[in-house]
Amino acid sequence: MLITMLYIITLLMVDFMSDDKEEVKRRLEGLFHVKSIEEQINRNLSEVKYKIGVISGKGGVGKSTVTANMAVALALKGSKVAIFDSDFHGPSIPKMLGVMDRELMVTKDRKIIPIEGPLGIKVISIAYFLPDKTEAVIWRGPLKKKFFDDLAMYTQWGKLDYLLFDLPPGTGDEALNLAQSIRDVTGVIAVTQPTEVSALAVAKSLNFAKKVNIRVLGVIENMSYFICGDGKKYKIFHGEGGELLSKEFEIPILGKIPIDPRVAEYGDSGYSLLMEDPDSEFSKVFFRIVDQLSKL
Ligand SMILES: Nc1ncnc2c1ncn2[C@@H]1O[C@H](COP(=O)(O)OP(=O)(O)O)[C@@H](O)[C@H]1O
Ligand SMILES: [Mg+2]
């Protein structure tokens, strides 16, 4: 508040000296506009208890799979959950939760009603705004920020225990959007594969999160092993990416997820293995992961 006041006074002094009152007015309006957007977003999210971002360094490591299945695990345990799929370049949550071909509705007071997925999971995704499922859209940085802010601000989130953000891979603008626009982010969860190549890319994202003062809640290692028909565990990918990140950033490993070919098959068909086979190793790991979330 004090910094804002000082900033305004400085602006006023500099600009009145230059006798350009229109410029002062324009800048002040800009400043208050940004403030009011932030205020509106945070007012709109005021009934959300935990706001958690899911990040990774690279695409294809299973970030969306983890987000979707964490949401299902939380919902199965009785929590009210929503997913904000803000992966501009590869939004896949609607497809994974079987709510791809739905139309968004808007209330009379111009609020977007999220799509209701399985177990009442609310879904808002960039995918619903794209003209065509496969069309390439060129998103420039400021447009992404505006879109992110608008969806955060105009969506009727309501009362939620968890809002999970499926963020785009890498250390781009979108992770910064989370830090800039949403005031009390609980933290981010990193998803890595076992390989060092994957862990290295994730380490960059985690350093970025630290720079923008977002707490890193923990790491999830995906595709850690495969359980064969004989019950034995086999490591498919070389490396201990989860352990490496846990040590380097002093964060807990929230879970090591096995490879299960049904995950990809169900994901493509809009089902979650957690609902179809809750006793599978994959499902059990997810139930253990979400048990830790409210304690972090
Ligand atoms: N543990 C797993 N076992 C089997 N397939 C998986 C697993 N995790 C992810 N997949 C599959 O790998 C592909 C990439 O996962 P996805 O979640 O889309 O990655 P990202 O969001 O990081 O790009 C998807 O087809 C998904 O079904
Ligand atoms: Mg994804």
Side-chain angles (χ1 to χ4, degrees):
M1 187 65 194
L2 187 65
I3 294 171
T4 311
M5 293 290 287
L6 284 173
Y7 181 61
I8 294 171
I9 291 166
T10 318
L11 256 182
L12 284 170
M13 281 169 63
V14 170
D15 283 283
F16 274 116
M17 278 191 293
S18 66
D19 211 21
D20 188 353
K21 291 186 184 116
E22 273 311 303
E23 175 64 11
V24 182
K25 202 169 148 242
R26 201 182 58 74
R27 284 200 205 175
L28 281 177
E29 275 170 4
L31 185 72
F32 283 121
H33 185 59
V34 171
K35 271 266 157 215
S36 81
I37 287 175
E38 200 195 291
E39 290 292 341
Q40 285 183 63
I41 291 174
N42 287 290
R43 212 175 309 137
N44 196 34
L45 290 169
S46 62
E47 289 186 294
V48 181
K49 206 164 166 194
Y50 299 106
K51 298 158 196 154
I52 298 175
V54 183
I55 58 169
S56 71
K58 292 171 356 98
V61 301
K63 183 171 49 64
S64 301
T65 303
V66 166
T67 312
N69 285 292
M70 278 202 320
V72 170
L74 285 164
L76 282 170
K77 283 181 173 264
S79 290
K80 281 200 165 87
V81 194
I83 301 180
F84 183 170
D85 176 11
S86 63
D87 187 340
F88 286 86
H89 304 283
S92 39
I93 295 295
K95 172 91 177 146
M96 286 180 176
L97 290 182
V99 286
M100 187 72 191
D101 295 315
R102 301 274 192 92
E103 295 276 328
L104 285 170
M105 309 276 272
V106 177
T107 64
K108 274 189 198 129
D109 54 348
R110 293 173 60 222
K111 286 273 181 187
I112 303 165
I113 305 170
I115 298 294
E116 195 161 315
L119 307 164
I121 297 169
K122 294 178 180 178
V123 180
I124 275 293
S125 172
I126 302 292
Y128 294 127
F129 298 86
L130 300 178
D132 186 280
K133 276 179 215 131
T134 52
E135 193 167 318
V137 178
I138 298 170
W139 291 94
R140 302 210 187 277
L143 186 62
K144 288 186 203 172
K145 163 97 176 110
K146 168 100 178 65
F147 215 83
F148 181 92
D149 284 355
D150 281 352
L151 287 185
M153 187 159 66
Y154 293 118
T155 300
Q156 198 172 52
W157 298 109
K159 204 168 156 53
L160 289 173
D161 296 307
Y162 290 90
L163 175 55
L164 306 179
F165 296 81
D166 186 359
L167 297 167
T171 53
D173 303 338
E174 301 83 359
L176 186 65
N177 290 345
L178 187 69
Q180 276 184 335
S181 305
I182 314 247
R183 209 171 287 150
D184 49 351
V185 176
T186 313
V188 288
I189 292 174
V191 181
T192 186
Q193 283 182 354
T195 63
E196 283 177 29
V197 171
S198 175
L200 193 67
V202 173
K204 280 191 187 166
S205 306
L206 295 187
N207 276 321
F208 182 79
K210 274 169 72 178
K211 265 189 197 147
V212 294
N213 289 324
I214 292 193
R215 201 179 144 210
V216 181
L217 301 172
V219 58
I220 293 175
E221 190 183 87
N222 188 26
M223 307 193 193
S224 297
Y225 54 91
F226 175 73
I227 301 182
C228 222
D230 59 9
K232 276 192 197 153
K233 278 187 183 180
Y234 294 92
K235 225 173 131 51
I236 306 291
F237 292 112
H238 158 90
E240 297 291 342
E243 306 284 348
L244 284 176
L245 292 166
S246 165
K247 278 199 196 100
E248 190 175 333
F249 291 90
E250 296 173 352
I251 48 172
I253 298 180
L254 301 173
K256 290 188 178 183
I257 302 168
I259 297 173
D260 188 324
R262 292 176 296 171
V263 173
E265 186 194 325
Y266 286 7
D268 278 356
S269 321
Y271 300 108
S272 162
L273 189 57
L274 274 74
M275 285 189 279
E276 306 298 320
D277 184 3
D279 295 324
S280 65
E281 178 72 9
F282 180 90
S283 306
K284 283 184 194 156
V285 175
F286 270 99
F287 291 127
R288 283 200 294 269
I289 289 174
V290 301
D291 278 345
Q292 300 166 70
L293 291 186
S294 61
K295 296 172 199 134
L296 293 169

